[in-house]
Amino acid sequence: MRIEKLNETTKKNLLEDLLKRSPNSYAAYEKSVQEILDNVCEKRDSALFAYTAQFDGAQIDATNILVTDGEIKEAYAQVDKNLLCIIRKALKNIESYHVKQMQYSWFDSKPNGTMLGQKVTALQRVGVYVPGGKAVYPSSVLMNIVPAKVAGVDEIIMVTPPGKDGSIHPTTLVAAKEAGADKIFKVGGAQAIAALAYGTESIPKVDKIVGPGNIYVALAKKAVYGHVSIDSIAGPSEILVLADETANPRYVAADLLSQAEHDELASAIFITTSMELAEKVSDEIDVFTAELSRKEIIQKSLDNYGHILVADTLEDAIAAANEIASEHLEIMTKDPYQTMTKIRNAGAIFIGEYSSEPLGDYFAGPNHILPTNGTAKFFSPLSVEDFLKKSSIIAYSKEALEAIHTEIEQFAEAEQLTAHANSIKVRFEK
């Protein structure tokens, strides 16, 4: 990996590189995505089945688009029993973490006859998108469904692309069943997002769509926002490791590569105060890359979006990390907890040399669906709150309103909204 001194120029160049990966830069694909959305909205199932044949090579129709109980039972027979135990342990950890995020309704009554509050209600129906085809992501299945289940969503609809034989990978099906999906449909891509957003004869319209996907899925979610809610528009994966001279170079190198292997657009950034450590990490990366199965993808990711930056001070390194606002941030410094208190922007923060990023991907419990492309400055990880909505509660007695009615009327008249004022005034006519 390239090694550079951290300064305003290198930081500016890095940020410009990362912006090129944003879904907002995919304008060339928007027309194609919109055509798919419009076609599914108009022709519904017939368009859905045609696109599945075209893009996935699978013959799906109304008789086999919904995964059956028999298919799920068959999937359980095919999944390794040890893996099933691991999925269940991870599920328990994820559920335990998300239960602590639950919010509840509250009401505040006063002796003067007023009652204010907030009614918290789970969404009625949500759609979960899970990538498929050659990829198998049971961890994403758990991370999307569990917080919705904890929130109390009535119906969870999962969509995922089928293989050419029309089947879904058994591990994906087992994870979905364990997590609590109510229905699973064999459809993926922008057409699946359209089906969830508009509804078809087979797939019901949902209130919100969550889950990561490719460029077409990201742009489709962006386009249907407003018809339904969405969690976020996910970009390529990214990791930033922040370390001083006390860090183990093999650990740093291994963790950087854990994200670089996702795809060629993935970003791996290392910021350190030690040139010696930077050089050792670069050497270890070369050794690991030569041995790993996805070395071609890793090398392209590192060539395009891999950076090692050497800062003069830890404060400069922390400031750069906050400006980059990485999806995953690992801290390997002498006092990582002290460093953590100065981090303002990150999707997930991993503290200490034994808190490797894959721990969060699979097992620890916090959600691994995180803000990318600098959006950690204003977005949060997927959580139970994403599946809840809130209604304000207002109740005044006649006596409570009478004490303030002239003030409300005056406020309304100041805005020249006389009907507003009249709505209060008529209640106290002589």
Side-chain angles (χ1 to χ4, degrees):
M1 283 176 72
R2 75 197 88 170
I3 299 175
E4 300 173 297
K5 288 288 292 182
L6 175 64
N7 54 44
E8 287 304 314
T9 300
T10 56
K11 185 165 63 177
K12 179 175 179 290
N13 292 340
L14 184 153
L15 291 170
E16 287 176 354
D17 278 349
L18 296 182
L19 280 176
K20 295 173 186 175
R21 304 156 58 251
S22 169
N24 292 321
S25 302
Y26 300 156
Y29 301 92
E30 288 180 351
K31 183 178 179 182
S32 299
V33 168
Q34 193 59 54
E35 286 177 1
I36 294 171
L37 297 176
D38 292 343
N39 204 14
V40 173
C41 183
E42 179 185 351
K43 298 179 181 177
R44 305 172 75 192
D45 266 359
S46 63
L48 204 61
F49 303 150
Y51 284 127
T52 302
Q54 179 182 346
F55 297 130
D56 299 307
Q59 298 305 310
I60 298 296
D61 57 33
T63 67
N64 64 359
I65 189 172
L66 178 65
V67 172
T68 64
D69 291 341
E71 287 174 295
I72 292 174
K73 185 177 180 181
E74 185 179 342
Y76 271 89
Q78 296 178 56
V79 170
D80 180 82
K81 295 298 182 288
N82 288 333
L83 178 58
L84 178 57
C85 288
I86 293 168
I87 287 172
R88 286 173 173 167
K89 287 180 180 179
L91 178 61
K92 186 175 180 180
N93 291 343
I94 296 164
E95 184 179 48
S96 296
Y97 181 87
H98 286 82
V99 162
K100 294 178 175 65
Q101 298 176 337
M102 189 62 187
Q103 298 181 31
Y104 300 94
S105 302
W106 58 267
F107 304 94
D108 184 18
S109 298
K110 301 287 180 153
N112 66 354
T114 67
M115 192 271 283
L116 302 176
Q118 183 171 267
K119 185 176 185 293
V120 178
T121 309
L123 300 183
Q124 185 173 352
R125 182 188 291 134
V126 300
V128 172
Y129 187 92
V130 175
K134 295 179 181 178
V136 183
Y137 297 115
S139 60
S140 284
V141 176
L142 303 182
M143 293 292 182
N144 276 286
I145 294 177
V146 169
K149 204 72 179 173
V150 170
V153 172
D154 292 350
E155 189 176 14
I156 301 171
I157 306 294
M158 188 177 113
V159 295
T160 188
K164 290 185 178 181
D165 62 354
S167 68
I168 305 299
H169 196 282
T171 309
T172 300
L173 290 183
V174 167
K177 180 65 176 177
E178 291 289 322
D182 294 294
K183 292 178 180 176
I184 306 167
F185 291 95
K186 304 170 186 176
V187 61
Q191 60 272 23
I193 301 301
L196 292 171
Y198 307 128
T200 73
E201 294 90 342
S202 297
I203 299 178
K205 182 185 186 302
V206 302
D207 301 313
K208 184 166 189 170
I209 302 171
V210 301
N214 61 17
I215 291 171
Y216 292 94
V217 170
L219 289 176
K221 286 173 68 178
K222 180 180 177 182
V224 301
Y225 178 64
H227 294 279
V228 293
S229 180
I230 63 171
D231 53 347
S232 63
I233 303 168
S237 187
E238 54 200 33
I239 186 171
L240 190 156
V241 178
L242 186 62
D244 60 19
E245 71 283 354
T246 64
N248 184 315
R250 282 181 65 78
Y251 296 174
V252 174
D255 293 356
L256 290 168
L257 298 181
S258 73
Q259 295 307 292
E261 75 168 343
H262 269 294
D263 65 59
E264 295 169 8
L265 293 174
S267 169
I269 300 169
F270 177 41
I271 304 180
T272 182
T273 51
S274 168
M275 178 61 78
E276 181 183 355
L277 178 63
E279 292 170 348
K280 287 181 179 178
V281 168
S282 182
D283 291 341
E284 292 287 356
I285 283 173
D286 291 341
V287 173
F288 279 133
T289 300
E291 300 170 349
L292 293 168
S293 62
R294 296 168 68 90
K295 57 187 174 184
E296 291 81 9
I297 292 173
I298 289 172
Q299 195 58 59
K300 287 183 180 178
S301 167
L302 297 180
D303 288 345
N304 294 319
Y305 303 107
H307 297 268
I308 296 177
L309 299 175
V310 180
D312 290 331
T313 66
L314 185 57
E315 287 68 29
D316 289 342
I318 291 169
N322 278 325
E323 195 160 350
I324 293 166
S326 185
E327 178 188 17
H328 307 99
L329 172 65
E330 290 188 4
I331 301 175
M332 297 189 201
T333 57
K334 184 177 181 180
D335 189 350
Y337 288 94
Q338 177 62 26
T339 303
M340 179 270 293
T341 64
K342 299 176 183 178
I343 297 298
R344 190 179 189 93
N345 305 317
I349 303 172
F350 300 79
I351 301 174
E353 63 180 11
Y354 291 100
S355 303
S356 177
E357 188 279 335
L359 174 66
D361 272 354
Y362 298 114
F363 209 76
N367 210 288
H368 78 197
I369 298 171
L370 304 166
T372 58
N373 285 109
T375 60
K377 290 180 178 178
F378 44 83
F379 282 143
S380 304
L382 189 72
S383 71
V384 170
E385 188 175 0
D386 283 290
F387 301 97
L388 300 172
K389 61 188 181 71
K390 306 173 186 73
S391 301
S392 301
I393 300 295
I394 303 168
Y396 269 55
S397 67
K398 179 181 179 181
E399 292 73 22
L401 183 60
E402 187 171 22
I404 58 167
H405 77 94
T406 57
E407 294 169 341
I408 301 172
E409 292 162 21
Q410 187 176 348
F411 212 147
E413 287 164 358
E415 295 186 349
Q416 299 181 2
L417 297 175
T418 54
H420 278 62
N422 188 60
S423 172
I424 300 293
K425 192 179 296 183
V426 296
R427 286 164 167 77
F428 301 98
E429 291 175 333
K430 301 297 184 182

